[in-house]
Amino acid sequence: LIQVSPHYPRKYPHQTHIEVFAESIRAIGVTDAIDVYKDETGYVLAHGLRRLLAGLYIDLETVPVNVLE
């Protein structure tokens, strides 16, 4: 489970943008990993909100992840 940091710099993208991005991911896959870091509650998203949301939208089971130190 990955949580979005309350300090994440981007706002949540519009649903239409997620749908378009999801179709791109469906066609070519996720080309860049999302970045997360671990804190006391679990993993927190550092970069890649649109990729994560688009992957969830098309029911991807996994996405590439970099765990930051």
Side-chain angles (χ1 to χ4, degrees):
L1 180 63
I2 299 172
Q3 301 174 22
V4 178
S5 168
H7 306 294
Y8 194 79
R10 290 185 182 246
K11 303 291 183 216
Y12 278 87
H14 191 276
Q15 183 67 27
T16 303
H17 295 139
I18 295 301
E19 291 170 5
V20 170
F21 197 48
E23 289 310 312
S24 172
I25 288 174
R26 189 187 316 270
I28 63 171
V30 179
T31 58
D32 293 317
I34 63 172
D35 295 330
V36 299
Y37 60 89
K38 190 165 173 74
D39 72 2
E40 63 278 349
T41 64
Y43 291 98
V44 180
L45 185 70
H47 302 104
L49 178 62
R50 291 182 304 151
R51 282 170 275 167
L52 179 61
L53 293 176
L56 290 170
Y57 182 79
I58 59 172
D59 296 322
L60 286 182
E61 291 186 19
T62 61
V63 295
V65 176
N66 293 321
V67 179
L68 306 174
E69 296 294 321

